[in-house]
Amino acid sequence: MNSGRGAYLTPLGRGALAAAFITMLAAGASGNNLLYLLFATLLSAFLLSWAAGKANLRGIVPGLLPPEQVFRGGEFSLKVLLSNPGRLPSLGLRLSCRGQRPPLERLPAGGTAEAELRYLLPHRGLNSVEDLRLESDFPFGLLRHVRRLEARELTALPRTPELRSASELGGGVEVLVSSAQRRGRSGDIWGVREMRADEDIRSVNWKLSAKTGRLMTVEYAEAAGSRVTVRLEGRAAGPDGERRAEEAAGACRFFIDAGAEVRLVTPEGELDYGRGLLHLDRLLRALALSGDGAAARPSAHADPAPEAEPQDETLWRRLTLAGCWLGYACLFLVEEFRTVPAFLLAAPLAAAVFLRERGLAPQPKRLWDAATLAVLLNAVFLHWRLAGIMVANTWLVAYMLVYFAFNPADRAGRRRALSVFYLGFFLVSGQTISFWYFPAYIAFMAFFTAWLAAEWGAGLRPGRGWPRPLGALLAAAVFLAALAFAAIPRVEPLGQRNPIVASLGLNKLSAAAGPVTGFTQNVSLGFFGELRRSGARVMRVRLLPAPVIPPPALYVRGMAFDGFDGRRWSKAGSRLRYRLGGRLYWSKDGSAPLRRSGDKLFFPGVRAAAPGPAAEYTIYPMNLAVIFSAYPALSVEQAGGAAFFDYTDSAYFAAPYLGGIRYIVRGRPGPPGEGALALAEEAGDLLRLYLSVPEGEDPRIAGLARKIVRDQAGGLAKARAVEKYLRSTYTYSLFSKGQGGGLADFLFGSRQGNCEYFASAAALLLRHSGIPTRLVTGFLAGEFNEYGGFYDVRQNQAHAWLEAYIAGSGWVRLDPTPASDSAPAWGRRFMGRAARWLEAGNVRWYRHVIGYDTYAQRNTFHRLGLAVSRWNIARTLAWLAAACVAAFLLRAGFLAWPRRRARQAARDIFSQAQAALENAGLRREPCWTPREYAARVAEKRPDLSGIKLLAEEHYLERYAGRPRTGEDLAAARETLKELRAKTGTRLWKR
Amino acid sequence: MSDSREKLNNLLENIQKVFVGKPEAALWSVVSLLARGHLLIEDVPGIGKTLLGQALAKCVDASFRRIQFTNDLLPSDILGITLVNPQDHSFEFKPGPIFSHIVLTDEVNRATPKTQSAMLEAMNDLQVTVDGRTHVLHVPFMVIATQNPVEYHGTFPLPEAQLDRFLLRIRIGYPEAGFEKRILKEGDLAQRLKDLKPVLSVEQVLGLQEEADRVRLDDSLLDYIVAIAGATRSAKGIKLGLSPRGSLALSTAAKALALVSGRDYCVPDDIKRVAVPVMSHRLLSDSNLYGLARIEESEYAVQALLETVPSP
């Protein structure tokens, strides 16, 4: 991190890398796409940090502006001038030198900025300054880009020890004083000064002395004085040489101060008599470069402790509070967190904002420590076991947010706060699939960007708006993240095999055990609305053999119910007596085991595997035992354990498949037929079950039933009439308003509801018309994956329909629910377009983000490949050629545009030439104009005098305002090329 | 453009026919004329200060007066006086020597402050008010003042505020040996001055002045000027920094120099070149910083200052 150039991880970057690694593991283990998204975001942040950071430092030209005189070992202020010839501003730059980090904040395009350092030269004479570095944590503070500034040589004058008289000089310095005649007082007046003790009393100006009360003298330009020769004996090398050089310097200063003319003789040469401070400067410079001082020595110096960086308290307080509120709000995406105590947490957060904005004293630290300990203990020993690790951790994060809202943090504390914000968001990502995650994600990214930018000092100030490049960077990061999200290879989640991941709840994608799956032993009205909000994948149905063309939607049948009490469907729990192969079976709860043969389970009446439509079902872990099937089942293959069927023609495994399951069901085509009724001993009794209506039912329902079927003859016609009536006169609504109300409310009040309202209504209306019906729950799988050849079945495809028993043709499937894509009435009425947009967004969110898995990914790439391959090669080439021509024309237009590109061209060429020459050691002092620089270069290196032409072109373009023609520029580029070719080696220093 | 370039070249050549060996001084005098400024020449006697003024006036076909400043000189000796006309008993204004195009004021520091300020006011306003009546001076109007840096006895040094009125302050310096020989050889200066033919009319001078106004000064050069002015205000060793009038003088002088150099645009080098004559008399530097005489001291201070300001 200390030396050289390149990019290094900052502590923040290391933290982010660790977070990315953990996120990647969690994503891989759970297959949770939101974790993948988070990981992709971190990845893109690193990529962007690297690229943008590199671009940020590129092309910056440094220059040193030392003071006129620098003494050895004396601290001075070294100005560093940075100019940015590029077209983009550079941000967040810092000079780094000996623990000092003066910030530059912003270096506009084509502009300059200046920073000041405290510096010290340890050696007399030439010191090469090598420890200056340019750093930047731009853009996110994850990577620190470092560029070492090229070595520069500075001359340190020898220190001048104070002498009282020439007799104090030690050996090695000889002083020869030759007295000269005074030249009178007619010279140019220098000024007035106080007398020195050693001066001739005759030089007192008595008039001035009388005025001021002090002895004053008038100095003249031709001040009288003696002539002194200072001779440095021997070469100024080694410690003794240093001492002698300093003594000689002291002597020079002493005599110059005394107004004498001083001559210096060193082994290297001599400097003639002179007077005044300018001459002293010459003397000291000669002494500095004598002996050891002539060779440059590195000015390496022990780094003092880095200075503590000042903090912008207000900024960090606001950022922290904003983060706490944002984190808190996001926690509500976790369903389990949406409780009353969680809402109550808003009060302490608001109190924290109130207290800290008013600068009230923080609470005692011990109190907070105790609270933290208590919360931690509670979480580890109680909450984890009671509520599960994930939920408990969410609560823990909530507590930490409150903690950080109250407690001001130092630099380390801020890091902790940031990691808690990330942890919170990580937990939320693992536990939600809501569409609202997306805005939360954007908000969090903006927040993290602001926070990280503030860490490197982007000049964020409360109430001063958002620095412009940050917005673009954020957009770029999100875009990159989207690409990375699509491209990161998905592995099949390990969750099915990994109980730890499952128990951590990271695998929200697969429906968790619990009521959310909805396939319990009964179905309440309005329940499906709740159920269908989840996009979790429930199962995958692969048709065997795979269909060639995408098949239509598939009804995957789960359970059926016969009993309805007005609010709830359940199995009436009838006994079943059935006859099979001449033997009578009797089942108390209405179910009977399937016959097993090998790894196959046969339904009653089936002897051996029959050819027929088959499908493979891969079901994710659920607390459920139902055997789903898309066709009337004949046999179940590749499933262990026992299975049962019951009188509603549903089948169950003996135990719920908590770890997920895969099986194949072979069935027969067509409607369910007679089913269990065909076997039943008392079919009549069973059919009566399917005709029961709830007691105390609204009489209007029976009336409605009569009205609908009045003109219909025959069971099937009646059934279709009811189906059609419901489909055409009622509207579908996911968020059923009749959730509290019963069926009557749906039929005569709100007239909109979920699928189970429609199914229940149809079932009841048909029962009133004397047709036996039962409610069936399952999935309406419409999402066929062409590449994988299967249906993806998600929880939001949960569906309810009904089967009606029509004498002669058996059970017939009826689905009175109108297609859900027709806009709901309330949507049309109240929110119209917005609601539909939201709905569309929701669907896309589930399909493209939540449900993006290895198959979807392959599908995407497959389609991409198909699109490319379908594209005729000739056409592709034609398009490419057209694109090239367009690009060329654009570029030509851009070049021809007199104001934009061309205006800068010659200047750019000059800058590039200058950079090339500077690399070869021909440095341009900041105060030199381009023409002066060119002249000096030509003087030093006549072969490089082409730079003069470039300087003139630059002048004509910039100062005369004459855009250069293509010819001029071509000539200039040629010259630039030539200069570049000639400046291979370094020949000239300074 | 080439037209004005030719005119200016002629002018410079013509001046140097008489004023031999010092092209730099001739150049500054023309720059000062084009920038509508006044010139202060500070050097030892006998070096050709007066000659320069005369040559310039002669070449431009403008009226020229010379005023020798003494300590008993009165403002009315310069500005003019109102007399009673005995014939018609009316008041009649008799204009003083300042009513000419080029006025050479020799040893400007010898007159009393009262007289100095009367003339300096006229320099600034291009008009004089005598007995309540305002009289407009001739245009172009240019004052070439000289002063002697060596002899200080019996002088009234110009205060900084008045020095500010002069666009440029220059030194001429001793001629090189070769040129001095040539001066001796050619002899009879007065005759040669008489023989000098004007090359520019007054109208042409006015035209050139307007052209100088139109010289292009890039925005970045304005920044550069501002940076230089800022540096003088914070520099060590300078007690009094550059006034905004000083910055303005920098830009006008740079424009004029650009025109004299045959360009219709300024470059950073122009500004660096005019910086010393424009700024050295405007800055009040701590004396004895560099061990030079006062005038050199201030020029050196300006040079040193320029090295701290990054060029565009």
Side-chain angles (χ1 to χ4, degrees):
Chain A
M1 155 87 63
N2 281 327
S3 64
R5 48 194 302 167
Y8 304 91
L9 277 176
T10 59
L12 254 177
R14 282 197 285 274
L17 202 63
F21 185 68
I22 292 170
T23 310
M24 183 187 75
L25 283 187
S30 65
N32 185 332
N33 268 321
L34 295 185
L35 293 178
Y36 272 113
L37 181 64
L38 212 51
F39 172 63
T41 307
L42 281 170
L43 206 65
S44 77
F46 271 106
L47 277 176
L48 211 62
S49 285
W50 182 78
K54 212 171 158 61
N56 193 38
L57 280 192
R58 227 172 86 175
I60 289 174
V61 184
L64 292 188
L65 296 173
E68 298 248 311
Q69 289 182 318
V70 178
F71 290 93
R72 179 181 82 81
E75 216 181 40
F76 62 95
S77 122
L78 178 64
K79 279 187 188 164
V80 182
L81 184 91
L82 297 170
S83 54
N84 176 11
R87 299 214 190 103
L88 291 172
S90 288
L91 290 150
L93 296 180
R94 260 191 330 236
L95 274 177
S96 160
C97 172
R98 301 180 180 175
Q100 300 172 74
R101 296 242 158 95
L104 291 156
E105 278 202 1
R106 189 183 170 90
L107 190 53
T112 56
E114 207 176 81
E116 217 168 295
L117 286 167
R118 303 300 305 164
Y119 204 77
L120 184 148
L121 297 177
H123 307 295
R124 178 178 59 84
L126 291 177
N127 288 258
S128 75
V129 177
E130 290 167 353
D131 50 357
L132 274 176
R133 287 187 305 275
L134 194 60
E135 302 183 342
S136 169
D137 290 355
F138 179 82
F140 299 123
L142 303 179
L143 289 181
R144 173 164 301 161
H145 285 262
V146 179
R147 217 186 93 190
R148 212 166 79 173
L149 301 192
E150 288 158 44
R152 262 291 302 269
E153 281 163 12
L154 296 183
T155 309
L157 304 179
R159 278 192 291 212
T160 56
E162 192 90 34
L163 292 183
R164 292 235 181 72
S165 79
S167 59
E168 284 180 27
L169 289 171
V173 177
E174 194 189 350
V175 174
L176 295 168
V177 181
S178 60
S179 262
Q181 209 75 51
R182 284 175 71 83
R183 290 220 181 123
R185 303 177 158 204
S186 58
D188 195 356
I189 295 177
W190 269 121
V192 176
R193 64 166 170 81
E194 219 168 325
M195 284 284 284
R196 277 193 285 264
D198 56 346
E199 271 179 310
D200 189 350
I201 197 76
R202 279 178 298 176
S203 61
V204 173
N205 184 319
W206 294 108
K207 216 171 171 179
L208 283 170
S209 305
K211 263 191 206 162
T212 55
R214 287 171 295 171
L215 277 183
M216 304 296 279
T217 185
V218 176
E219 274 189 311
Y220 296 94
E222 300 274 304
S226 42
R227 302 187 119 195
V228 179
T229 300
V230 177
R231 185 190 299 277
L232 182 65
E233 305 275 351
R235 207 170 159 274
D240 182 55
E242 293 298 322
R243 183 190 57 77
R244 280 185 286 117
E246 289 195 349
E247 280 198 345
C252 289
R253 182 180 148 192
F254 172 75
F255 288 112
I256 290 281
D257 281 354
E261 286 190 72
V262 180
R263 183 169 76 123
L264 176 72
V265 181
T266 63
E268 284 85 5
E270 71 167 78
L271 206 63
D272 206 1
Y273 289 109
R275 178 182 284 137
L277 292 177
L278 199 64
H279 186 63
L280 178 62
D281 187 59
R282 284 194 284 267
L283 295 170
L284 294 182
R285 251 167 236 288
L287 279 171
L289 296 177
S290 159
D292 281 350
R297 288 171 279 188
S299 69
H301 193 80
D303 281 8
E307 293 163 29
E309 283 174 41
Q311 286 188 18
D312 185 343
E313 286 299 334
T314 320
L315 173 69
W316 285 116
R317 186 180 67 236
R318 302 242 164 112
L319 269 178
T320 313
L321 289 174
C324 290
W325 272 102
L326 188 61
Y328 172 68
C330 284
L331 287 184
F332 282 95
L333 288 172
V334 178
E335 289 161 47
E336 291 86 344
F337 188 74
R338 272 176 239 149
T339 55
V340 175
F343 281 108
L344 291 182
L345 271 183
L349 276 176
V353 173
F354 178 80
L355 287 176
R356 287 189 62 187
E357 282 298 316
R358 278 183 180 47
L360 296 183
Q363 299 68 35
K365 189 156 179 349
R366 278 168 193 282
L367 207 70
W368 275 105
D369 287 346
T372 308
L373 190 70
V375 169
L376 259 178
L377 287 177
N378 170 52
V380 172
F381 292 108
L382 287 173
H383 212 169
W384 278 12
R385 290 193 195 162
L386 291 179
I389 291 178
M390 230 30 198
V391 175
N393 284 353
T394 309
W395 274 98
L396 205 56
V397 165
Y399 165 76
M400 272 140 102
L401 291 178
V402 174
Y403 176 89
F404 281 112
F406 270 104
N407 291 287
D410 56 355
R411 206 183 165 81
R414 289 205 312 261
R415 294 265 156 77
R416 283 197 292 276
L418 189 66
S419 52
V420 166
F421 296 147
Y422 182 79
L423 184 68
F425 196 59
F426 173 78
L427 287 179
V428 168
S429 307
Q431 293 183 91
T432 189
I433 47 168
S434 162
F435 175 62
W436 295 108
Y437 177 88
F438 186 65
Y441 166 79
I442 294 294
F444 248 98
M445 287 313 113
F447 170 72
F448 280 133
T449 307
W451 182 287
L452 294 174
E455 281 278 352
W456 59 255
L460 282 176
R461 301 274 180 285
R464 220 181 66 176
W466 180 261
R468 203 144 62 102
L470 279 191
L473 273 172
L474 179 63
V478 172
F479 176 71
L480 262 181
L483 283 187
F485 173 78
I488 292 172
R490 299 296 198 278
V491 289
E492 276 292 287
L494 309 167
Q496 277 159 287
R497 275 158 273 154
N498 190 343
I500 298 174
V501 172
S503 67
L504 275 174
L506 284 172
N507 52 347
K508 192 71 181 183
L509 241 191
S510 46
V516 186
T517 46
F519 290 94
T520 44
Q521 292 302 312
N522 46 57
V523 174
S524 301
L525 286 183
F527 190 70
F528 268 67
E530 206 52 44
L531 191 61
R532 295 184 63 162
R533 285 179 197 189
S534 163
R537 185 182 289 110
V538 177
M539 71 177 83
R540 191 171 280 164
V541 182
R542 186 192 303 276
L543 299 180
L544 301 173
V548 182
I549 47 160
L554 197 68
Y555 282 88
V556 180
R557 193 179 188 275
M559 277 186 270
F561 303 93
D562 55 340
F564 183 60
D565 66 355
R567 299 293 308 273
R568 203 149 70 139
W569 284 93
S570 56
K571 288 191 198 289
S574 162
R575 290 168 296 182
L576 174 66
R577 277 204 293 167
Y578 63 97
R579 186 175 295 277
L580 206 57
R583 287 184 61 184
L584 195 67
Y585 294 85
W586 191 77
S587 149
K588 195 177 174 189
D589 62 351
S591 66
L594 297 181
R595 186 173 60 82
R596 174 171 280 285
S597 162
D599 70 339
K600 296 190 177 79
L601 292 157
F602 290 101
F603 279 81
V606 183
R607 289 255 154 244
E616 182 194 69
Y617 301 81
T618 310
I619 301 186
Y620 287 80
M622 265 192 277
N623 186 12
L624 206 63
V626 179
I627 299 175
F628 286 97
S629 171
Y631 308 102
L634 295 176
S635 64
V636 180
E637 297 171 13
Q638 296 178 8
F644 301 87
F645 75 97
D646 71 4
Y647 66 98
T648 61
D649 293 321
S650 321
Y652 306 88
F653 289 112
Y657 28 81
L658 289 168
I661 196 169
R662 180 194 304 247
Y663 57 86
I664 294 173
V665 177
R666 265 180 215 288
R668 53 185 165 75
E674 293 281 325
L677 279 178
L679 311 169
E681 191 70 348
E682 294 133 359
D685 289 352
L686 273 179
L687 275 180
R688 255 193 301 283
L689 281 177
Y690 296 125
L691 280 168
S692 72
V693 290
E695 286 169 27
E697 189 199 48
D698 195 316
R700 284 180 295 175
I701 297 178
L704 182 65
R706 274 195 298 281
K707 197 181 115 200
I708 297 169
V709 300
R710 189 185 303 148
D711 305 329
Q712 306 297 334
L716 195 61
K718 286 178 182 173
R720 293 289 176 216
V722 167
E723 188 183 30
K724 192 178 161 208
Y725 177 80
L726 285 173
R727 264 179 191 258
S728 53
T729 45
Y730 291 81
T731 36
Y732 179 83
S733 159
L734 179 59
F735 307 102
S736 168
K737 270 169 75 184
Q739 194 155 346
L743 212 49
D745 184 46
F746 164 70
L747 282 171
F748 307 110
S750 67
R751 302 178 73 85
Q752 51 178 304
N754 292 319
C755 50
E756 79 273 24
Y757 277 92
F758 284 92
S760 306
L764 218 55
L765 289 170
L766 286 176
R767 284 185 184 185
H768 277 293
S769 318
I771 297 171
T773 54
R774 60 191 182 195
L775 184 90
V776 182
T777 58
F779 294 91
L780 181 57
E783 203 180 305
F784 186 70
N785 189 316
E786 296 161 43
Y787 189 69
F790 56 76
Y791 284 94
D792 249 337
V793 183
R794 301 177 186 290
Q795 196 150 311
N796 56 9
Q797 291 163 348
H799 194 47
W801 62 92
L802 74 152
E803 288 169 349
Y805 185 78
I806 310 293
S809 44
W811 292 105
V812 173
R813 184 171 65 216
L814 297 175
D815 189 357
T817 309
S820 63
D821 58 9
S822 69
W826 63 270
R828 254 182 279 129
R829 273 206 304 272
F830 299 112
M831 297 173 75
R833 193 162 297 200
R836 286 200 293 279
W837 272 94
L838 200 66
E839 192 73 20
N842 234 329
V843 168
R844 283 191 170 70
W845 172 253
Y846 287 131
R847 181 167 303 166
H848 299 306
V849 180
I850 300 292
Y852 189 80
D853 64 357
T854 174
Y855 292 98
Q857 192 174 34
R858 270 194 257 165
N859 206 8
T860 306
F861 288 127
H862 180 68
R863 278 187 199 166
L864 217 65
L866 266 183
V868 171
S869 69
R870 242 181 257 149
W871 214 293
N872 185 319
I873 287 190
R875 219 163 72 188
T876 311
L877 283 180
W879 269 106
L880 268 178
C884 283
V885 168
F888 180 78
L889 284 178
L890 258 179
R891 185 170 174 273
F894 203 51
L895 279 175
W897 197 271
R899 303 199 81 77
R900 276 193 57 84
R901 175 90 175 88
R903 224 183 80 135
Q904 294 280 321
R907 187 183 170 184
D908 287 349
I909 292 175
F910 178 78
S911 304
Q912 287 165 16
Q914 183 185 329
L917 295 180
E918 291 203 333
N919 273 339
L922 297 157
R923 181 171 294 281
R924 174 177 166 195
E925 292 295 329
C927 69
W928 294 351
T929 63
R931 196 180 268 174
E932 282 173 338
Y933 175 61
R936 274 170 220 245
V937 169
E939 189 188 323
K940 290 270 175 187
R941 292 272 304 267
D943 59 320
L944 297 181
S945 48
I947 183 81
K948 278 180 158 175
L949 169 86
L950 298 186
E952 291 311 313
E953 289 288 325
H954 167 39
Y955 271 19
L956 281 173
E957 178 189 273
R958 187 170 180 195
Y959 299 119
R962 295 185 189 131
R964 303 286 76 206
T965 62
E967 255 172 67
D968 293 335
L969 289 177
R973 288 207 183 90
E974 200 54 44
T975 314
L976 171 64
K977 209 186 273 176
E978 182 192 328
L979 288 180
R980 278 184 173 153
K982 282 182 186 164
T983 50
T985 50
R986 186 185 173 119
L987 290 175
W988 179 42
K989 287 178 177 176
R990 278 210 68 166
Chain B
M1 185 65 232
S2 60
D3 180 36
S4 60
R5 184 174 193 167
E6 202 175 306
K7 281 183 210 158
L8 287 167
N9 274 344
N10 281 344
L11 180 61
L12 280 172
E13 266 173 37
N14 220 27
I15 292 172
Q16 285 176 62
K17 275 185 195 159
V18 179
F19 189 68
V20 177
K22 287 288 170 190
E24 188 85 339
L27 173 84
W28 290 127
S29 69
V30 174
V31 165
S32 180
L33 180 67
L34 293 189
R36 298 191 183 95
H38 308 289
L39 182 67
L40 178 64
I41 309 178
E42 195 165 332
D43 218 325
V44 291
I47 216 150
K49 300 189 289 279
T50 313
L51 185 66
L52 175 61
Q54 283 174 330
L56 181 67
K58 211 61 212 237
C59 294
V60 176
D61 189 23
S63 54
F64 172 75
R65 295 288 185 80
R66 173 178 175 171
I67 317 168
Q68 182 68 43
F69 273 33
T70 56
N71 51 10
D72 57 356
L73 194 76
L74 293 174
S76 58
D77 294 338
I78 302 172
L79 305 181
I81 193 164
T82 313
L83 295 172
V84 182
N85 190 336
Q87 266 121 43
D88 53 4
H89 300 282
S90 63
F91 288 100
E92 189 184 318
F93 179 68
K94 240 180 121 43
I98 202 157
F99 286 91
S100 49
H101 289 115
I102 296 180
V103 179
L104 179 76
T105 62
D106 248 342
E107 304 211 57
V108 70
N109 53 348
R110 294 222 168 262
T112 52
K114 189 178 172 184
T115 311
Q116 284 175 357
S117 57
M119 198 200 61
L120 293 166
E121 219 176 302
M123 284 162 59
N124 212 35
D125 303 342
L126 292 182
Q127 60 181 34
V128 293
T129 304
V130 179
D131 295 333
R133 288 178 61 187
T134 302
H135 307 277
V136 181
L137 298 179
H138 298 317
V139 263
F141 176 65
M142 176 181 175
V143 173
I144 301 176
T146 71
Q147 67 178 354
N148 184 346
V150 180
E151 194 60 59
Y152 275 101
H153 286 290
T155 64
F156 302 93
L158 294 177
E160 307 300 330
Q162 304 217 333
L163 280 176
D164 214 17
R165 307 269 157 96
F166 287 98
L167 179 72
L168 306 172
R169 180 186 71 176
I170 60 166
R171 288 190 295 150
I172 294 180
Y174 292 112
E176 281 170 35
F179 285 114
E180 197 160 5
K181 195 175 161 192
R182 202 177 125 195
I183 292 167
L184 292 176
K185 226 172 169 176
E186 290 180 355
D188 201 7
L189 268 174
Q191 186 55 44
R192 276 197 290 139
L193 202 58
K194 217 177 243 175
D195 294 346
L196 211 56
K197 294 276 175 295
V199 293
L200 280 183
S201 66
V202 167
E203 287 71 33
Q204 281 174 322
V205 169
L206 291 176
L208 285 171
Q209 284 181 344
E210 273 172 27
E211 202 166 317
D213 288 341
R214 289 196 301 266
V215 162
R216 187 177 189 276
L217 190 64
D218 193 71
D219 244 23
S220 61
L221 295 180
L222 294 181
D223 291 339
Y224 185 44
I225 290 174
V226 172
I228 291 174
T232 64
R233 290 164 200 162
S234 61
K236 253 196 292 180
I238 293 177
K239 280 192 223 155
L240 189 68
L242 197 66
S243 61
R245 184 172 16 191
S247 313
L248 199 61
L250 260 183
S251 74
T252 47
K255 283 176 168 183
L257 178 62
L259 190 65
V260 175
S261 313
R263 278 182 272 113
D264 60 351
Y265 58 92
C266 268
V267 298
D269 306 76
D270 292 332
I271 293 169
K272 279 187 107 165
R273 196 158 164 211
V274 299
V276 169
V278 168
M279 288 162 67
S280 66
H281 60 292
R282 288 185 159 92
L283 305 181
L284 198 59
S285 58
D286 286 338
S287 58
N288 204 4
L289 191 65
Y290 302 105
L292 302 166
R294 194 153 81 176
I295 180 167
E296 289 159 5
E297 183 86 33
S298 54
E299 290 181 359
Y300 194 84
V302 173
Q303 293 281 14
L305 191 98
L306 284 178
E307 288 183 10
T308 64
V309 182
S311 145

